[in-house]
Amino acid sequence: MNFASILEAIADEVRPSLGDGKVADYIPALARVPASQFGIAVRTTDGREVCAGDASTPFSIQSISKVFTLSLAMQQLGDGLWDRIGREPSGDPFNSLVQLEHEQGKPRNPFINAGAIVVADRLVSQFANPKEAVRQFVSSLCEEEVGFDEEVARSEAATGFRNIALANFIKSFGKLDNPVADVLDLYFHQCALSLSCVQLARACAYLCHDGRNPLCDQPVLTDRQARRVNALMLTCGTYDAAGEFAFRIGLPSKSGVGGGIIAVLPDRLTVCVWSPALGPSGNSVAGMRALELFVEKTKLSVF
Amino acid sequence: MNFASILEAIADEVRPSLGDGKVADYIPALARVPASQFGIAVRTTDGREVCAGDASTPFSIQSISKVFTLSLAMQQLGDGLWDRIGREPSGDPFNSLVQLEHEQGKPRNPFINAGAIVVADRLVSQFANPKEAVRQFVSSLCEEEVGFDEEVARSEAATGFRNIALANFIKSFGKLDNPVADVLDLYFHQCALSLSCVQLARACAYLCHDGRNPLCDQPVLTDRQARRVNALMLTCGTYDAAGEFAFRIGLPSKSGVGGGIIAVLPDRLTVCVWSPALGPSGNSVAGMRALELFVEKTKLSVF
Amino acid sequence: MNFASILEAIADEVRPSLGDGKVADYIPALARVPASQFGIAVRTTDGREVCAGDASTPFSIQSISKVFTLSLAMQQLGDGLWDRIGREPSGDPFNSLVQLEHEQGKPRNPFINAGAIVVADRLVSQFANPKEAVRQFVSSLCEEEVGFDEEVARSEAATGFRNIALANFIKSFGKLDNPVADVLDLYFHQCALSLSCVQLARACAYLCHDGRNPLCDQPVLTDRQARRVNALMLTCGTYDAAGEFAFRIGLPSKSGVGGGIIAVLPDRLTVCVWSPALGPSGNSVAGMRALELFVEKTKLSVF
Amino acid sequence: MNFASILEAIADEVRPSLGDGKVADYIPALARVPASQFGIAVRTTDGREVCAGDASTPFSIQSISKVFTLSLAMQQLGDGLWDRIGREPSGDPFNSLVQLEHEQGKPRNPFINAGAIVVADRLVSQFANPKEAVRQFVSSLCEEEVGFDEEVARSEAATGFRNIALANFIKSFGKLDNPVADVLDLYFHQCALSLSCVQLARACAYLCHDGRNPLCDQPVLTDRQARRVNALMLTCGTYDAAGEFAFRIGLPSKSGVGGGIIAVLPDRLTVCVWSPALGPSGNSVAGMRALELFVEKTKLSVF
């Protein structure tokens, strides 16, 4: 398949409507990202990397980081991780407290904020320097040093009242082992990781390589674990639009409010899109459109 | 792949624990079904049909019927169907009224009871004799005459207070066009269709044949529509255990309280399992276990 | 106190804004009631009856009937009544299903629709002809024959999908003893009773006479029961505006969508107001204003 | 009325069951209070003070403090206070976050924790030293210097994850003007005020004296404001047992998890009871029983 021409065609098709939607503006460092950027990168299991548009521009990966912290926690803890996190779609806005109260502090899945905070707590218990552990883990996945945008991390900490509320709420149920401040320090930093589409498509390659990092041929997860991450991405990866993603796109995906979306076609390829303007569900408008076009043009989806 | 020996091995493995769980007992006709039965049938896209256990015993398909009524409504109405039904997982017990109130009478998806009632309303508008239209549609899919278990239909009508409540509740929002009694008459009958595992595996073949019925080579749905039904089955098909199904099994599936589960591997095969005893989420215990074993042994899943 | 001049002053003050709000229009028989009518009647424990405006015009008492059916059920069943009904404010719109689901079919209090339906079920069990029993009970309270507006009752039955949903929902939890149709026949009729302000002020006199009907000096309830009905009216009597009523008016009150409100000053007087146009909480706009003026001018409230 | 003998009789009647229930144990300073203590004090509008049992033992007033901070905020801000707080019963456990989310950070009433936190925020804006302002306000009401139990305040701060969550949650809706830490410092201190039954009965005397402090004859609130505080206590003062309190006791009341309850009979008297062991709704078991006996014996209630 000629991915190069397909990606160029997609970039051409989405260009006229770039900027439709609304760039996340809850912190200045995100608000000032120009809305009209767009990048797309594909990495196939036979090692090809193809891209178009602003695919090498680093952006704030935000919630896409939840794929990496989940994977690292699964690697470290195995099934014990699931004692404190469910695996069901939430059916609710992504940071709702309601369900958390109803279920006594056990978040519905690791991709809502509450769930990612619980994952962060487990990593804080696991590593002497959890921020550095996560940074190194992601760096090793894409074989390049990646870093935190400290301005973003500081802003998230200064204004993230809802996440502070979430963490204290979970703590009130006795379901965080570490001090709230330590857990949130990791959480706000993981969201502030900066990567480009090309880097993200590469970093997620283990999800379509039976759990192995193809760059260094090292195991990241077991085959089964990798497939389960894919399953979670499909059912829970895109806030309360997971059903819509499955219906219209049909690829396991994880999005972030920085405008990035990573998608996986198991055993075949990863594709990462990025465009900062978001739709009402918190997902990149042009990114979703680009993935829809990708599936239309390639006939590749899990369904 | 030697499906015959795989299915026999699965039947052997689940046999010792048959009857674990609880047969649906809200109506006598279901309550008296012997718990220890088990059947499994596979139909591949190259036309092979393989089965084991009680795969030819007809059972009450219950909510599996929602796949057929949804497909018939999609065929008849196209995208107009989605004006009154969402496509998101519900995150709630399957017949909850809460979400329905929150969303002003628009059910979250066509596989919860509320959604299936709305689908039934659309079919009542579409056909002079909607029960017969559904029965003929399913019969044509498996190229055998199938029928309603009238005792089951009568019992559902006499005791289905919660579904009567649901239908009246949706009606109160102005979102049923037809009289509640007519809509429920179709709904209670579709749930009372009797098919065997072999028949169901065959009847769902269009879901892995680009929407075409392979027996008569007639289109049932467009290719895209068929894939979208698969997507809905994966995200919403198994009550509030859809995440667990995706995580552990990884196949688009639809279950019913009669103990049947139909699963689809797009472009490859359909597999139907049946065993009457249900787990806490309303899904067949042995059926789920059998599907898990099937995926383990064949390495076939969408992830 | 010169109640005659006070009531005239109130009628003068509310007159300019009569019709502000919206007459209930879910059934034609209510929708065609002229919005600009206003009546007020006071009955004191020393037997004085004073009124102003359209105080002798009968209107559909709607939910005010819940005071009478509750009282009749308390008289007949004593504390056994409370097995199936709570006594807490609902904090939710008056006919919400959410709380009912959360609390397994036990309505929060007897003044929300769900609670009144449960009360109706108990009365259906208690009387051979429950509609006639309720009609006679209310007639005896005001020593005049009162009757049902059969057109209203029929319309409620034909369009009351939400109440039908509620009743079936409660039935699904096993918490109605009688057929839904029988329970709703009573419920729709009690709401269709027609009384005037003067009649209602008289009919509720037992609530400020230690539970005795002062007209015939017969016990209706025990002293304690009567005071408890007052307590329930104060905390639960005015849909989800009970806090606002207590804060601004401070009298136990029960309102109906026909535009009537009955209020009680224990040991002193009853006051009934009526004006058909309703505010957003479903209470008569002019009626609430009139009660507020009444309390301001007389300095009479329970607080 | 011979209140002295009535209070002695009540003390005698509750003595055998003292300790039934469970002393609040979420912080050590509360957990070690002996469960079998009981005190009761009455102050009438003609200036009599009568008491029995441990009525002079200071205890942690906890949520009773919300009456004082509300009154101080009403005094300072008038109706402007209500922009950010509702006046409806919550129908939910006292510290639920659900309703807060549904209503976008506007607490339902000033007596749930969320509402009291919003009141505290307004006081932090109003006073240079808000803790001292509250302490002096309460001291002036009972004409004795009262103080904070700093151990209790520290423990609340160290373990009050749910209140920290609440405050951050409200802050996330933009509905706290001051830093969360400042607001909670006041909140945790007001809960740690120590007063005895005698002091509390005296401190609340303004609520049955047209808003005037009878000790110094100074206005605390307007007459109308005082009556409105009473109305709020009746509808919202006792967590999710407000309906039950109204039904069984019928006095405006405010309780705290320290085991105290203050009740008001408007224009007549205040009564304060205290016993540390709590029932399931978070109210003192012996305290509720004592108030019920008080109403039975005196026939005094607002209904």
Side-chain angles (χ1 to χ4, degrees), chain C residues 71-143:
Chain C
S71 295
L72 183 55
M74 289 174 79
Q75 180 197 82
Q76 297 286 314
L77 297 160
D79 283 348
L81 177 65
W82 303 109
D83 295 347
R84 288 198 179 157
I85 316 174
R87 295 188 289 237
E88 292 301 326
S90 73
D92 256 345
F94 63 106
N95 44 10
S96 167
L97 298 181
V98 177
Q99 215 148 27
L100 202 52
E101 176 156 47
H102 187 59
E103 291 170 21
Q104 294 286 299
K106 183 178 181 178
R108 287 225 109 192
N109 67 64
F111 289 150
I112 54 173
N113 288 12
I117 287 169
V118 169
V119 170
D121 177 59
R122 310 311 302 263
L123 294 177
V124 170
S125 295
Q126 209 66 23
F127 294 103
N129 186 340
K131 282 187 288 190
E132 183 58 17
V134 168
R135 199 194 61 76
Q136 284 179 9
F137 178 68
V138 179
S139 297
S140 75
L141 288 176
C142 56
E143 291 211 322

Side-chain angles (χ1 to χ4, degrees), chain A:
Chain A
M1 208 171 284
N2 188 338
F3 285 118
S5 64
I6 290 172
L7 299 197
E8 288 301 336
I10 292 170
D12 287 347
E13 281 191 54
V14 301
R15 191 163 302 124
S17 54
L18 286 182
D20 285 6
K22 191 167 175 337
V23 176
D25 58 2
Y26 66 98
I27 56 173
L30 290 183
R32 65 170 177 259
V33 177
S36 60
Q37 298 177 91
F38 172 81
I40 183 165
V42 166
R43 190 188 188 286
T44 63
T45 47
D46 53 15
R48 274 183 296 162
E49 294 189 0
V50 190
C51 64
D54 308 307
S56 299
T57 307
F59 57 88
S60 189
I61 70 169
Q62 295 290 325
S63 289
I64 297 176
S65 67
K66 293 168 184 169
V67 174
F68 302 123
T69 52
L70 170 65
S71 295
L72 184 55
M74 288 173 80
Q75 180 196 82
Q76 297 287 314
L77 297 160
D79 283 348
L81 177 65
W82 303 109
D83 295 346
R84 287 196 180 160
I85 316 173
R87 296 188 290 238
E88 292 301 325
S90 72
D92 256 344
F94 63 103
N95 45 10
S96 165
L97 298 181
V98 177
Q99 215 147 28
L100 203 51
E101 176 156 47
H102 186 60
E103 292 172 18
Q104 295 284 301
K106 184 176 181 179
R108 287 224 107 193
N109 67 64
F111 289 151
I112 54 173
N113 288 12
I117 287 169
V118 169
V119 169
D121 177 59
R122 310 311 302 263
L123 294 178
V124 170
S125 296
Q126 208 67 22
F127 295 102
N129 185 339
K131 282 186 289 189
E132 184 58 17
V134 168
R135 199 194 60 76
Q136 284 180 9
F137 178 68
V138 179
S139 297
S140 76
L141 288 176
C142 56
E143 291 211 323
E144 286 184 48
E145 286 299 304
V146 300
F148 300 116
D149 182 328
E150 289 289 349
E151 183 196 347
V152 169
R154 268 194 312 275
S155 293
E156 303 268 9
T159 62
F161 301 114
R162 202 164 173 122
N163 285 317
I164 302 172
L166 273 177
N168 277 285
F169 194 45
I170 300 168
K171 184 84 175 172
S172 78
F173 287 107
K175 291 189 177 152
L176 290 186
D177 291 338
N178 299 286
V180 165
D182 296 357
V183 175
L184 288 176
D185 187 45
L186 172 56
Y187 179 73
F188 290 139
H189 273 85
Q190 74 180 63
C191 290
L193 280 168
S194 277
L195 279 87
S196 68
C197 288
V198 171
Q199 286 175 316
L200 276 168
R202 207 180 286 156
C204 290
Y206 67 102
L207 294 174
C208 56
H209 272 278
D210 303 339
R212 299 185 75 82
N213 178 346
L215 305 172
C216 60
D217 198 30
Q218 292 294 313
V220 179
L221 295 176
T222 66
D223 179 26
R224 170 175 291 186
Q225 284 177 322
R227 293 182 192 281
R228 288 180 163 185
V229 173
N230 290 339
L232 285 164
M233 288 170 70
L234 192 105
T235 52
C236 317
T238 45
Y239 308 132
D240 49 338
E244 200 60 20
F245 257 79
F247 189 84
R248 286 172 48 195
I249 294 167
L251 295 175
S253 304
K254 183 75 205 78
S255 56
V257 292
I261 310 174
I262 179 77
V264 179
L265 183 67
D267 303 316
R268 294 290 297 274
L269 56 82
T270 51
V271 49
C272 183
V273 292
W274 169 60
S275 190
L278 309 178
S281 64
N283 297 299
S284 169
V285 174
M288 280 189 74
R289 182 72 192 122
L291 286 177
E292 211 174 354
L293 290 169
F294 181 79
V295 170
E296 266 176 44
K297 290 173 194 296
T298 61
K299 306 282 174 204
L300 295 172
S301 96
V302 304
F303 300 117

Side-chain angles (χ1 to χ4, degrees), chain A residues 96 98 101 161-162 165 168, chain D residues 96-98 101 161-162 165 168:
Chain A
S96 165
V98 177
E101 176 156 47
F161 301 114
R162 202 164 173 122
N168 277 285
Chain D
S96 167
L97 298 181
V98 177
E101 176 156 46
F161 301 113
R162 204 166 171 120
N168 277 286

Side-chain angles (χ1 to χ4, degrees), chain D residues 43-108:
Chain D
R43 191 188 188 284
T44 63
T45 47
D46 54 15
R48 273 183 296 162
E49 294 189 359
V50 189
C51 63
D54 307 308
S56 300
T57 307
F59 56 88
S60 189
I61 70 169
Q62 295 291 325
S63 288
I64 298 175
S65 67
K66 293 169 184 169
V67 175
F68 301 124
T69 52
L70 171 66
S71 295
L72 183 55
M74 288 173 80
Q75 180 197 83
Q76 297 286 314
L77 297 160
D79 283 348
L81 178 64
W82 303 108
D83 295 347
R84 288 197 179 158
I85 316 172
R87 297 188 288 240
E88 292 301 325
S90 73
D92 257 343
F94 63 105
N95 46 9
S96 167
L97 298 181
V98 177
Q99 217 148 28
L100 202 52
E101 176 156 46
H102 186 59
E103 292 172 17
Q104 294 286 301
K106 183 177 181 178
R108 287 224 109 194

Side-chain angles (χ1 to χ4, degrees), chain C residues 4-25:
Chain C
S5 64
I6 290 172
L7 299 198
E8 288 301 337
I10 292 170
D12 287 347
E13 281 192 53
V14 300
R15 192 163 300 124
S17 54
L18 285 182
D20 285 5
K22 191 168 174 338
V23 176
D25 58 0

Side-chain angles (χ1 to χ4, degrees), chain B residues 93 95-99 101 160-162 164-166 168-169 171-173 180, chain C residues 93 95-98 101-102 160-162 164-166 168-169 171-173 180:
Chain B
N95 43 12
S96 167
L97 297 182
V98 177
Q99 216 148 26
E101 176 157 45
F161 301 113
R162 203 166 171 120
I164 301 172
L166 273 177
N168 277 285
F169 194 45
K171 183 84 177 173
S172 79
F173 287 107
V180 165
Chain C
N95 44 10
S96 167
L97 298 181
V98 177
E101 176 156 47
H102 187 59
F161 301 112
R162 203 166 172 120
I164 301 172
L166 274 176
N168 277 285
F169 195 45
K171 184 83 176 172
S172 78
F173 287 107
V180 165

Side-chain angles (χ1 to χ4, degrees), chain D residues 22-24 30 33-38 257-260 274-278 284-285:
Chain D
K22 192 167 175 336
V23 175
L30 290 183
V33 177
S36 60
Q37 298 177 89
F38 173 81
V257 293
W274 170 60
S275 190
L278 309 178
S284 169
V285 175

